Amino acid sequence: MKWAFVGASNIASEWMVGAVRAVGDEVVAVVSGSAERAQAFARQHGITQALTDLGALAGLELDAVYVSSTNDQHEAAVLQAAALGCHVLCEKPLALDLAAARRMVEACRAAGVVMGTNHHLRHNSAHRQMREVLRQQGLGPLVSARVSHSVFLRAQLQGWRIDNPGAGGGVVLDIAVHNADSLAFLLGEYPVEVMAMTQQRGMSRGVEDDAMSLWQFASGLCAFTHQGYNTPHASNRLEILGQQASLEARNVLNQAPGGELVWRRADGDLSLRLDHDNLYVRGLRELHRAIAGQPNDLASGEDGLKSLAVALALLESARTGRRVPVSYA
């Protein structure tokens, strides 16, 4: 497929250009609000077209559009892609509110194109193996889940993420959406109610850089989650706890493959081997399967809408100090 990239972002440069080429596709254009940034990105990656106007995409032969602009600009790019009949892969969160996310999903559905959300973590080997163990009821009745996803946000990634709420900054919209997708991928459900507290702990200005929360699921399971930007020496962890066994994955909530996964059972701990597949390459292969109408593990646009709903409920809970039902409408 021929792709246009909307947003000359770090993730596009570090991961997505290579992933598109690894699956045999081609990046033919990049669009950025800055002509200088678009041209530099195009030169760096050998891309023919460097553009500053979404409308210019209409003059190109395209099959798909990848969107990694700031969160407030996602909707315009996705609607343009749908109007051109292009499949879409959009970064998370899809938008700043559910109404915008719903418009994006519905536009792609009406155009008959596939819309994916770039929730890469579900493509980690640990996530896939954990889901298989859970499908086999390898933990017995489930009790709870714990997600510790506190990191140190690299300087080149800080920018609007730590000081611009209008662009969708803050750790909740950035990371909690990933945690919502990971748990939904494993458990097959999203939370129905959340409680959260957020704080600023030295990195951000005007948005939260640390958040802790409790999530209640319809099945009765309760999850604890922690998201942070300012912990340079923290490891990340994802745990599912059952009455008969538990799964503990460490350092698997990253862009790169790796980490470790232990199945803790009465007969002893079993370390499960993880593969080293590139998460973004695997995600694009799942997108190709979705386009072909084949069974796939792509995070759909609807999945992206639901992960956004969780993050918005967390922010509302932190603001009001109350338990908040999660609305997916």
Side-chain angles (χ1 to χ4, degrees), residues 3 65-71 73-75 77-78 87-95 104 108 114-119 287 299-301 304:
W3 288 77
V65 174
Y66 167 62
V67 181
S68 66
S69 48
T70 55
N71 302 326
Q73 299 181 56
H74 288 177
E75 182 184 4
V78 171
H87 302 295
V88 176
L89 182 63
C90 186
E91 277 302 326
K92 50 78 223 166
L94 292 185
M104 295 158 67
C108 290
V114 170
M115 178 181 177
T117 306
N118 203 19
H119 279 308
L287 174 66
S300 66

Side-chain angles (χ1 to χ4, degrees), residues 159-230:
W160 59 270
R161 288 180 176 83
I162 64 170
D163 63 10
N164 191 344
V171 74
V172 171
L173 284 175
D174 194 21
I175 296 183
V177 288
H178 278 313
N179 303 149
D181 186 73
S182 288
L183 289 178
F185 182 75
L186 296 176
L187 304 172
E189 61 176 337
Y190 291 85
V192 296
E193 189 175 44
V194 298
M195 295 178 61
M197 297 181 69
T198 61
Q199 56 184 348
Q200 293 174 263
R201 299 300 295 173
M203 179 177 284
S204 66
R205 299 178 295 278
V207 295
E208 80 289 344
D209 58 21
D210 194 79
M212 293 191 178
S213 57
L214 294 175
W215 303 8
Q216 183 71 61
F217 292 82
S219 63
L221 182 142
C222 191
F224 164 77
T225 78
H226 176 207
Q227 298 84 30
Y229 274 163
N230 201 16

Side-chain angles (χ1 to χ4, degrees), residues 5-182:
F5 277 24
V6 178
S9 64
N10 283 284
I11 186 172
S13 181
E14 294 177 7
W15 295 100
M16 290 304 298
V17 171
V20 165
R21 291 171 175 167
V23 298
D25 291 351
E26 180 183 3
V27 184
V28 299
V30 58
V31 182
S32 174
S34 163
E36 180 181 1
R37 189 173 177 89
Q39 291 163 6
F41 190 97
R43 284 194 304 271
Q44 178 184 356
H45 297 289
I47 298 169
T48 305
Q49 299 283 338
L51 310 170
T52 58
D53 181 10
L54 281 174
L57 295 179
L60 304 177
E61 292 185 6
L62 296 173
D63 302 297
V65 174
Y66 167 62
V67 181
S68 66
S69 48
T70 55
N71 302 326
D72 57 316
Q73 299 181 56
H74 288 177
E75 182 184 4
V78 171
L79 296 185
Q80 175 72 358
L84 295 175
C86 293
H87 302 295
V88 176
L89 182 63
C90 186
E91 277 302 326
K92 50 78 223 166
L94 292 185
L96 303 188
D97 60 76
L98 287 184
R102 178 59 66 189
R103 289 191 294 268
M104 295 158 67
V105 171
E106 291 179 350
C108 290
R109 182 181 297 120
V113 299
V114 170
M115 178 181 177
T117 306
N118 203 19
H119 279 308
H120 65 286
L121 293 177
R122 60 166 57 198
H123 303 301
N124 186 293
S125 177
H127 283 63
R128 290 182 277 114
Q129 292 194 60
M130 292 173 82
R131 185 177 65 169
E132 186 60 30
V133 170
L134 291 169
R135 284 176 170 175
Q136 296 174 4
Q137 299 184 336
L139 306 187
L142 299 184
V143 177
S144 59
R146 296 191 294 226
V147 182
S148 182
H149 197 169
S150 191
V151 300
F152 183 78
L153 191 66
R154 293 180 292 150
Q156 59 266 44
L157 297 179
Q158 293 177 14
W160 59 270
R161 288 180 176 83
I162 64 170
D163 63 10
N164 191 344
V171 74
V172 171
L173 284 175
D174 194 21
I175 296 183
V177 288
H178 278 313
N179 303 149
D181 186 73
S182 288

Side-chain angles (χ1 to χ4, degrees), residues 277-295:
D277 289 354
N278 182 296
L279 280 60
Y280 296 96
V281 172
R282 194 175 186 94
L284 286 175
R285 288 178 178 149
E286 297 299 327
L287 174 66
H288 276 262
R289 292 187 181 98
I291 292 170
Q294 299 171 354

